[in-house]
Amino acid sequence: VIKYTGCITGAVPPFGSLFTEPVPTYVDASLSRNEHINFNCGLRTHSIQISYADYVTVEGITNT
């Protein structure tokens, strides 16, 4: 994981499109019921929160 993403296991952010070689991002449909989502941002000790709507826009999710 670290060789491909630069992040340790468990800390990979949910933005597959941002990696040098993009990877598909799959999103559980139940996440769309949340106004905000939280996730690790490259470290297991740091998380961020964004609106689900912003996440979908940034990552280009089309089938939620």
Side-chain angles (χ1 to χ4, degrees):
V1 171
I2 197 166
K3 185 175 182 179
Y4 190 83
T5 67
C7 301
I8 59 174
T9 302
V12 179
F15 293 98
S17 64
L18 300 180
F19 296 113
T20 304
E21 291 184 40
V23 295
T25 301
Y26 298 95
V27 177
D28 188 302
S30 67
L31 283 179
S32 66
R33 295 192 298 253
N34 297 295
E35 183 177 347
H36 294 93
I37 59 171
N38 301 302
F39 50 86
N40 289 335
C41 55
L43 298 170
R44 291 185 201 148
T45 56
H46 293 78
S47 295
I48 63 170
Q49 180 182 73
I50 64 170
S51 74
Y52 181 76
D54 286 347
Y55 171 69
V56 168
T57 300
V58 169
E59 187 56 15
I61 305 295
T62 57
N63 295 325
T64 59

